[in-house]
Amino acid sequence: MELKGEMKLKQERIKKGWMNYLLTGKGKINENKLSSPATDPKKTVITFVVLTFALSSIFWYLISQTPLVADNTTIILLYTIGSMWCPAIAAVITRLYYQRNLKGFGVGMGKPIWVLVGILLPIAAGLLMFGLAWISGLAPFNTDGAANILTISFIPSLLVAIGFNCFFAAGEEFGWRGFLVPELARFQTFTSLALISAAIWTIWHFPLIIFGSYHGTGSLIFSLAVFIPSVMGAGLILAWLRIISGSVWVAVLFHGFWNYFIQQFYPVLTKTTDAGEMMLGEFGWFVALMYVILALIFWHYRNKLPPLPAEGV
């Protein structure tokens, strides 16, 4: 009986210490900084997911009903931004309902090394993808485009564009990684929480792909075929970074820099070709392959993460 009691106490200390690490980025146990209440995490996860999809459906409908013409570009962009902020809004509502505060999103910056990883990894991954296309000739380097953006005068525009992309990404990340990942971690192992959170994130994009303009130039089936493994892989990587850093900002930076460099910066440096369209971007075959490989590497190092409550001692 005494041994069983000691084991239970040890597990409780691990749970509290891990939650403090996840939410504050610090390894010391400090009960005053723990923000997750005794509420069943399954209830909070279900509430969050239902709210996210319910709120997002408003913008999905508006996007589907808006004709894809030049005059509607701004309004479609606003609807898209609105849908991207639905996860954050749903997370805030769920937090307030169940614990009456907004603690637990991981708003501390954590260690600088993980902030750098959040910034440099998407830039490097994008450069690898587009660089191989330039070298192979599948999508040649665009010298005219380079002349326009690889200048000192372009830096202010670059910083503004990155800032906007990170702001848009924050709407998703405060929901998916700020709220969903920590809540799932209260009753799931890392592998399970990474796959579940990534699957929910992936499915959330489907209406925009099927009914909106968020897809590649190929067939819809091809877009889904490459999008699913790429977002599943990215979801696992972001969950890993969220847990190891204890900061949601690492995920925000990763997401924001990825969106800017993959959707805007590198494409300007690249000539458009049919082969390039099939290979590059969020709906290219290379990104699916790359994210699956990267996800397997991060998953291999899951033992570097602090022990999760669901994994015990």
Side-chain angles (χ1 to χ4, degrees):
M1 288 294 292
E2 188 173 345
L3 179 60
K4 184 176 180 180
E6 291 178 357
M7 288 295 293
K8 184 176 181 180
L9 179 61
K10 187 176 182 180
Q11 289 177 345
E12 285 298 315
R13 286 176 176 172
I14 285 179
K15 182 175 181 180
K16 289 180 179 180
W18 175 82
M19 287 301 294
N20 186 62
Y21 184 94
L22 178 61
L23 301 176
T24 69
K26 300 176 181 178
K28 294 183 180 180
I29 297 175
N30 186 338
E31 296 186 30
N32 294 326
K33 290 187 177 181
L34 299 180
S35 61
S36 295
T39 307
D40 183 355
K42 294 179 182 179
K43 290 182 179 179
T44 61
V45 167
I46 292 172
T47 301
F48 163 74
V49 172
V50 170
L51 276 174
T52 298
F53 278 75
L55 292 171
S56 300
S57 64
I58 299 171
F59 294 98
W60 294 337
Y61 174 78
L62 292 173
I63 292 171
S64 68
Q65 296 301 305
T66 304
L68 297 175
V69 295
D71 292 342
N72 292 334
T73 301
T74 301
I75 191 65
I76 291 176
L77 176 62
L78 291 174
Y79 290 156
T80 302
I81 295 171
S83 68
M84 292 178 72
W85 270 88
C86 286
I89 294 171
V92 167
I93 293 173
T94 305
R95 278 268 189 249
L96 290 175
Y97 180 78
Y98 283 107
Q99 67 185 51
R100 303 295 189 271
N101 61 56
L102 294 177
K103 296 179 181 179
F105 286 101
V107 295
M109 290 303 293
K111 294 182 178 180
I113 181 62
W114 300 118
V115 175
L116 287 175
V117 170
I119 293 173
L120 297 179
L121 182 56
I123 295 176
L127 182 59
L128 173 64
M129 175 169 57
F130 280 85
L132 288 176
W134 300 334
I135 294 171
S136 66
L138 290 175
F141 187 78
N142 186 353
T143 54
D144 292 336
N148 291 328
I149 67 173
L150 298 182
T151 62
I152 298 296
S153 61
F154 182 72
I155 292 177
S157 299
L158 171 71
L159 297 176
V160 170
I162 290 175
F164 272 112
N165 276 272
C166 287
F167 170 75
F168 302 153
E172 287 193 49
E173 293 307 323
F174 268 78
W176 305 129
R177 260 60 66 172
F179 179 88
L180 182 59
V181 165
E183 289 300 299
L184 285 171
R186 293 171 62 195
F187 64 100
Q188 296 288 337
T189 63
F190 171 73
T191 301
S192 296
L193 76 86
L195 293 177
I196 292 172
S197 61
I200 295 172
W201 186 32
T202 301
I203 294 170
W204 178 80
H205 285 91
F206 283 1
L208 291 174
I209 296 173
I210 298 171
F211 303 110
S213 59
Y214 184 59
H215 50 72
T217 56
S219 68
L220 183 61
I221 293 177
F222 178 79
S223 290
L224 289 171
V226 297
F227 184 80
I228 291 172
S230 66
V231 177
M232 288 294 295
L236 185 145
I237 294 168
L238 287 168
W240 194 98
L241 290 173
R242 169 67 172 95
I243 293 173
I244 195 71
S245 68
S247 173
V248 70
W249 296 113
V250 174
V252 171
L253 290 169
F254 185 105
H255 195 156
F257 272 75
W258 172 263
N259 283 354
Y260 174 69
F261 279 88
I262 299 306
Q263 296 176 4
Q264 301 169 49
F265 186 84
Y266 289 131
V268 174
L269 301 177
T270 309
K271 292 182 179 180
T272 302
T273 64
D274 291 339
E277 290 291 301
M278 298 297 288
M279 172 187 176
L280 303 172
E282 292 185 304
F283 294 94
W285 58 262
F286 189 89
V287 72
L289 177 63
M290 179 178 62
Y291 264 134
V292 169
I293 293 174
L294 284 175
L296 289 174
I297 294 173
F298 275 81
W299 180 78
H300 176 74
Y301 288 102
R302 65 194 181 280
N303 62 325
K304 300 296 184 181
L305 299 173
L308 306 186
E311 295 174 330
V313 296

